[in-house]
Amino acid sequence: AVAAMVKETIRVYARVKPLGRRQQAGSYSVDNEEPLPSLEITVPRDLADGFINNKRESYKFKFQKIFDQEAKQDVIFDSIAKPVAECVLAGYNGTIFAYGQTGSGKTFTITGGAERYSDRGIIPRTLSYIFDQLQKDSSKVYTTHVSYLEIYNECGYDLLDPRHETSKMEDLPKVTIMEDSDQNIHLKNLSLQQATNEEEALNLLFLGDTNRMIAETPMNQASSRSHCIFTIHITSKEPGSATIRRSKLHLVDLAGSERIAKTGIGGHLLTEAKYINLSLHYLEQVIIALAEKNRSHIPYRNSMMTSVLRDSLGGNCMTTMIAMLAMDKRNIDESISTCRFAQRVALIKNEAVLNEEIDPRLMIIQLKKEIQDLKDELALVTGKQRKSELSQEELLQLDELIETFLKDNDPDSSLDVGADMRKIKYCFVHMKQIINHPMTSGKKLLSEDISEEKNSNEKLEKLKGLLQQRDNEINILVTMLKKEKKKARDTLSQLNATSAGSAVLEQSPSMSLEESQSPSRCSSLKEAKVSSSSIPRLPFPSRATGGKMSLGCQEAFEIFKQDHADSITIEDNKQLLKQRFDEAKCLGEKLNEVRNKINHLKGKIIQRQIQRAALAVLNPSEELTFDPVEENLRMQIEEEKKSYKTVYSRFKGLKVEIEHLQLLMEKVKMKVQKDFEVWWSEEAKKFQQEKPEMVDSPNTVNPVYPQFIRSSQHLSPISFSDTSRESPNEDPPVKNNSVTSGSPTLKTRTPPSSSIPLTGDSQADADILAFIKARQNILQKKGKSCQ
């Protein structure tokens, strides 16, 4: 059911209290004729006690209805409370609250007088009306609960606690406010007592009233000094329906609204009056905030009462207010302020929503019944009782039907499985499997030729792709090696002038390409292969080769690494790290040494003290005097401690520096790797774009080379696997920083941590290497013939 919503302003009524015997009547008139009845109060000037008085003389206020002094309790109930009670029975929340100064008749209106039965107030009359209606309505099952909350000095008390008869307010259970995530208010410790009939409910009301705190003020011998909220909770449900309606009706008797000066009280009662005034002040603040259109924050949380009445004021509730007015001359100004408050309340709009919810257990029962009814209906139509799952027999039957349907070449043939959605769905799923995976359940459901042809085509494409990739790798390597060969020649010609063993080296141009790499380069490559686990792997070759980094790519990486400008930085950092480690080692040894010395000196002092104690025992006559030896030892300990501190602070500093250097090295390594990745993919692209026959010609083998590769002076002996290399034929590398400056910077990205192995298949490795060698020999011969 769609929850109905009623949007309306709070209804405000006025009730004038009959005058006492000694009271002088104030001047007022009631006009009940207009669309909205009005109350006019006149304040004569003579009340100003001799001062100049510029106050207004007449005040006019509009109300839903005004009840004059002679109005009886039953009329008040029928006009004010009955419409709210009807809404509550229909599933809406309701609130009725009485507002006014002490002695204006709030408690009489809400609870009633004790003398005559006809003086019963709104609470007992509402209870008897509600139970009357519930008995008449047999279409629903109702449960009724009541709660009675008293708010005194900003503390909540449960008036319906049946466990003890109270003599003091403090004996009652304290009620606290809790708020859930949806900003709903829950009252902790407030008991909900079930009332199955009117008698039970009235007994509970009587129990609560006897527990109420009553204090005496000069105005009224039986005035309540607290706010009381009596709530009736109703739950209703139609038999068999899953919808539950929950509604509540708050009947609120507020404390007196008069100013403190008027009451003429002090001490304990003054404190009460302050709290009452404060909570009514907060109630007024909430009402002013609600009446203003653009206010986003309403201060409900400021007091306990506004928190409890949160729904009643500007929320999901039908709310009614009764303004209680004492119209004797003494209280006329209080009556005017009550009327002003009422006018503000009348501006507030509430949105009352029907409080319906679904009981999930009942819903499940209902749905199960509906399913069974539908199954029975199906069985009637088809003549078969339907189970929830298809049987094994039915599934096999469907498989056969699909197979014959697929093999049938007649374009008009159809697949008929009857009007069963489960069978139709199964056929669709099965057909989808056949199309996506032709080889299902050991049988080739589609013609074997098609699938085989498809498979062989796929394999062929894969092999072509692999061959293309290998070609690219070989081309890049050959290009790199040629570059290396040229560099080697240049360096050799330089060395020729100085080196005595030049005759041996002069033959290098005619060496095979593999030999033209310096022995250290070869050895380093072998070492690199051995310690391949420590080389950070690159992600990009894995796309084509299914997660294996090819040898070609790895070798190219080794060569690229040595020629990279940053390799010098790595070498410098390595040297620096080594020095720092050595220094740290020395300092550590020194620290141990100093610690041992201190311990040794401490031992000496203890020994000395023992010796002197023994002497004192032997010669008790001799007094223990100052011991210069012990003092000297103590001085030595102090000196050692100082040196320990300085060494230790240096040691800490070194630790920080070492960590920083290690971080720098990691960064540079990552950068080199990233540079290689970019360069490698660029080279591969170039070779793919060039025509195959052009690759063979020696002129086009050298592509435009990225500037990462530097002259052979900068070949650094560092590899990421940290293998040390010593070459017998080469001078140590010369560092020439002027040339390295132009290395392009790239944004580094952290490489994947998982290392990619070489190739899994040793036979494939051997084939690839043989292929590379053969290619290199062909290219070498061509190179020679061109020379």
Side-chain angles (χ1 to χ4, degrees):
V2 178
M5 189 174 80
V6 180
K7 195 169 188 173
E8 59 166 33
T9 53
I10 293 179
R11 292 164 174 257
V12 179
Y13 297 88
R15 185 183 192 184
V16 183
K17 187 193 178 189
L19 281 173
R21 265 171 296 172
R22 296 180 187 163
Q23 290 172 324
Q24 277 184 299
S27 176
Y28 75 96
S29 64
V30 175
D31 178 6
N32 263 326
E33 292 312 304
E34 291 176 45
L36 269 179
S38 64
L39 171 76
E40 191 168 353
I41 302 173
T42 316
V43 183
R45 294 270 164 100
D46 63 350
L47 285 181
D49 304 328
F51 295 107
I52 295 168
N53 186 358
N54 293 327
K55 269 188 181 173
R56 274 164 59 187
E57 273 195 24
S58 103
Y59 298 83
K60 203 171 187 180
F61 303 104
K62 290 193 187 309
F63 291 94
Q64 204 84 30
K65 200 166 181 188
I66 298 149
F67 300 92
D68 214 341
Q69 299 183 28
E70 63 279 355
K72 295 280 176 279
Q73 292 282 65
D74 55 348
V75 178
I76 297 286
F77 170 75
D78 287 340
S79 308
I80 296 173
K82 201 174 171 181
V84 180
E86 281 168 359
C87 287
V88 172
L89 287 168
Y92 294 92
N93 293 337
T95 301
I96 299 169
F97 69 95
Y99 179 93
Q101 70 183 104
T102 301
S104 62
K106 294 187 305 298
T107 305
F108 180 78
T109 302
I110 295 290
T111 310
E115 285 129 43
R116 292 187 299 279
Y117 184 70
S118 61
D119 284 349
R120 286 178 308 147
I122 286 175
I123 298 177
R125 284 172 190 272
T126 304
L127 284 171
S128 69
Y129 173 75
I130 283 174
F131 281 106
D132 223 28
Q133 294 299 312
L134 298 188
Q135 267 176 339
K136 284 180 193 169
D137 183 6
S138 56
S139 66
K140 291 192 183 80
V141 180
Y142 289 96
T143 44
T144 328
H145 292 78
V146 296
S147 65
Y148 207 168
L149 167 73
E150 177 165 21
I151 299 169
Y152 173 72
N153 291 3
E154 268 308 291
C155 290
Y157 298 96
D158 179 14
L159 289 173
L160 295 186
D161 182 50
R163 285 172 297 177
H164 38 58
E165 293 300 311
T166 51
S167 54
K168 296 201 302 289
M169 171 68 76
E170 282 69 35
D171 296 345
L172 289 170
K174 264 204 169 180
V175 177
T176 50
I177 282 181
M178 317 283 276
E179 194 175 327
D180 64 19
S181 56
D182 299 329
Q183 296 197 325
N184 295 320
I185 293 291
H186 301 279
L187 297 164
K188 192 182 172 196
N189 265 358
L190 181 64
S191 62
L192 269 184
Q193 306 289 341
Q194 186 163 1
T196 48
N197 54 35
E198 187 185 339
E199 192 189 348
E200 278 181 29
L202 288 170
N203 284 340
L204 287 165
L205 172 65
F206 178 74
L207 167 73
D209 281 339
T210 53
N211 283 341
R212 274 179 75 166
M213 173 87 171
I214 305 247
E216 291 182 359
T217 68
M219 285 176 122
N220 181 359
Q221 292 307 300
S223 121
S224 79
R225 308 301 300 132
S226 57
H227 313 290
C228 288
I229 301 169
F230 184 85
T231 312
I232 307 163
H233 303 261
I234 301 172
T235 307
S236 69
K237 191 175 75 181
E238 282 181 35
S241 160
T243 309
I244 303 171
R245 282 184 181 178
R246 298 181 195 279
S247 54
K248 57 188 177 189
L249 171 59
H250 294 302
L251 299 163
V252 188
D253 178 11
L254 296 174
S257 63
E258 67 284 337
R259 290 169 213 142
I260 291 173
K262 192 76 167 279
T263 56
I265 53 175
H268 177 57
L269 292 179
L270 179 66
T271 314
E272 282 178 0
K274 277 182 194 165
Y275 273 115
I276 290 164
N277 270 37
L278 192 64
S279 66
L280 288 169
H281 164 68
Y282 285 135
L283 175 64
E284 200 166 340
Q285 274 192 346
V286 166
I287 281 157
I288 290 167
L290 284 164
E292 285 176 21
K293 282 196 177 77
N294 300 326
R295 281 290 284 273
S296 59
H297 172 68
I298 312 292
Y300 291 115
R301 286 197 188 86
N302 283 355
S303 75
M304 185 164 189
M305 192 189 52
T306 50
S307 296
V308 175
L309 296 181
R310 180 188 214 146
D311 259 356
S312 313
L313 303 164
N316 169 23
C317 196
M318 304 277 215
T319 305
T320 298
M321 172 189 166
I322 311 167
M324 308 301 304
L325 308 168
M327 281 301 188
D328 55 302
K329 275 189 179 175
R330 232 189 115 222
N331 294 321
I332 210 102
D333 53 347
E334 286 292 346
S335 295
I336 289 169
S337 71
T338 300
C339 286
R340 280 185 175 147
F341 181 72
Q343 303 302 293
R344 287 205 194 107
V345 173
L347 297 172
I348 299 170
K349 277 195 171 72
N350 275 7
E351 288 183 26
V353 179
L354 199 60
N355 301 301
E356 286 188 338
E357 53 188 69
I358 302 288
D359 184 342
R361 287 171 304 170
L362 279 171
M363 197 69 180
I364 290 165
I365 294 165
Q366 212 170 309
L367 290 170
K368 277 184 177 170
K369 189 175 175 297
E370 201 175 317
I371 290 167
Q372 194 51 51
D373 290 349
L374 289 168
K375 278 187 176 176
D376 295 345
E377 205 175 307
L378 261 174
L380 268 175
V381 176
T382 57
K384 281 184 199 169
Q385 189 67 41
R386 176 165 296 187
K387 296 189 185 85
S388 55
E389 295 289 322
L390 288 167
S391 67
Q392 199 61 39
E393 201 179 323
E394 284 174 311
L395 291 175
L396 285 167
Q397 209 175 343
L398 285 172
D399 284 355
E400 274 175 38
L401 275 172
I402 293 166
E403 207 167 327
T404 47
F405 171 67
L406 287 173
K407 282 178 180 169
D408 192 349
N409 293 330
D410 181 7
D412 295 331
S413 69
S414 66
L415 179 63
D416 185 20
V417 290
D420 188 339
M421 268 323 285
R422 297 167 309 158
K423 289 183 178 180
I424 294 167
K425 273 184 183 168
Y426 175 78
C427 288
F428 274 112
V429 171
H430 201 72
M431 297 276 272
K432 190 177 178 181
Q433 279 176 348
I434 291 169
I435 291 162
N436 291 345
H437 312 284
M439 309 281 285
T440 48
S441 66
K443 285 187 242 172
K444 291 188 182 180
L445 289 167
L446 285 175
S447 61
E448 294 178 18
D449 306 341
I450 297 168
S451 59
E452 271 179 22
E453 197 178 313
K454 203 175 175 188
N455 284 350
S456 59
N457 280 346
E458 277 175 15
K459 277 181 190 170
L460 195 66
E461 286 304 311
K462 265 189 189 171
L463 288 169
K464 274 185 184 172
L466 199 64
L467 188 69
Q468 178 64 51
Q469 196 199 342
R470 290 283 179 268
D471 266 8
N472 287 344
E473 283 173 8
I474 290 163
N475 286 328
I476 297 169
L477 269 173
V478 169
T479 312
M480 287 181 84
L481 290 172
K482 286 213 167 187
K483 198 85 177 166
E484 288 296 310
K485 193 173 175 184
K486 191 170 180 298
K487 276 188 226 162
R489 258 195 226 147
D490 296 348
T491 38
L492 285 174
S493 57
Q494 285 173 12
L495 288 166
N496 218 356
T498 50
S499 166
S502 58
V504 185
L505 289 163
E506 264 168 10
Q507 299 161 6
S508 69
S510 58
M511 282 183 184
S512 76
L513 276 170
E514 281 157 68
E515 288 162 350
S516 73
Q517 294 185 2
S518 65
S520 74
R521 175 78 37 85
C522 293
S523 67
S524 74
L525 279 171
K526 280 172 198 160
E527 280 169 30
K529 280 174 196 165
V530 171
S531 61
S532 62
S533 58
S534 64
I535 299 177
R537 291 280 177 258
L538 296 167
F540 61 95
S542 62
R543 291 184 203 120
T545 57
K548 293 179 180 179
M549 184 173 176
S550 66
L551 288 173
C553 178
Q554 199 181 325
E555 297 207 5
F557 183 39
E558 290 299 325
I559 299 166
F560 178 85
K561 227 163 39 184
Q562 295 149 8
D563 290 352
H564 198 286
D566 286 331
S567 57
I568 288 176
T569 321
I570 296 172
E571 185 56 29
D572 288 350
N573 283 345
K574 267 185 87 176
Q575 293 300 328
L576 202 55
L577 261 176
K578 196 171 181 303
Q579 286 171 23
R580 294 288 175 268
F581 273 127
D582 292 346
E583 198 176 333
K585 199 176 167 189
C586 287
L587 288 174
E589 284 166 7
K590 236 185 219 176
L591 284 175
N592 284 334
E593 211 175 287
V594 174
R595 209 182 286 123
N596 292 341
K597 262 190 196 173
I598 290 170
N599 290 339
H600 180 63
L601 289 167
K602 276 185 185 167
K604 272 190 178 177
I605 288 175
I606 292 163
Q607 236 176 339
R608 181 82 184 158
Q609 284 171 343
I610 293 166
Q611 282 174 5
R612 298 197 64 205
L615 280 172
V617 171
L618 289 173
N619 305 326
S621 55
E622 276 184 35
E623 280 185 28
L624 283 174
T625 50
F626 172 72
D627 183 8
V629 180
E630 194 176 318
E631 191 56 35
N632 184 29
L633 286 169
R634 283 188 193 284
M635 295 268 283
Q636 278 175 281
I637 284 178
E638 283 308 309
E639 287 298 315
E640 291 299 332
K641 273 187 181 173
K642 274 181 198 168
S643 69
Y644 182 84
K645 271 181 188 168
T646 47
V647 173
Y648 185 69
S649 63
R650 170 75 185 126
F651 184 71
K652 269 178 93 175
L654 266 179
K655 189 168 172 274
V656 174
E657 196 180 333
I658 284 169
E659 280 170 8
H660 181 68
L661 280 170
Q662 282 171 332
L663 202 76
L664 280 180
M665 279 189 66
E666 275 308 305
K667 274 190 180 172
V668 176
K669 284 179 185 179
M670 280 177 196
K671 184 176 171 295
V672 173
Q673 197 164 323
K674 182 69 192 133
D675 289 353
F676 175 69
E677 190 178 324
V678 173
W679 175 80
W680 179 261
S681 58
E682 277 176 11
E683 291 292 304
K685 265 187 208 160
K686 276 179 201 164
F687 278 108
Q688 236 151 353
Q689 284 159 7
E690 283 169 12
K691 286 175 188 166
E693 56 264 30
M694 285 175 73
V695 175
D696 292 342
S697 76
N699 305 333
T700 53
V701 160
N702 281 355
V704 182
Y705 222 61
Q707 2 163 331
F708 301 135
I709 298 181
R710 300 280 165 240
S711 77
S712 58
Q713 287 182 339
H714 302 293
L715 291 179
S716 162
I718 181 166
S719 88
F720 286 179
S721 50
D722 291 341
T723 50
S724 58
R725 303 171 188 185
E726 283 168 26
S727 153
N729 301 350
E730 279 180 12
D731 291 344
V734 185
K735 286 178 187 162
N736 181 350
N737 295 328
S738 61
V739 191
T740 58
S741 58
S743 123
T745 54
L746 285 163
K747 287 182 184 168
T748 53
R749 215 177 42 212
T750 25
S753 54
S754 64
S755 63
I756 303 161
L758 275 167
T759 57
D761 187 356
S762 56
Q763 182 57 49
D765 277 356
D767 292 350
I768 291 162
L769 283 168
F771 182 54
I772 290 171
K773 277 182 186 171
R775 269 291 172 104
Q776 284 172 349
N777 289 335
I778 294 162
L779 290 166
Q780 197 181 357
K781 280 171 192 168
K782 284 198 177 180
K784 276 182 189 173
S785 63
C786 286
Q787 283 171 5

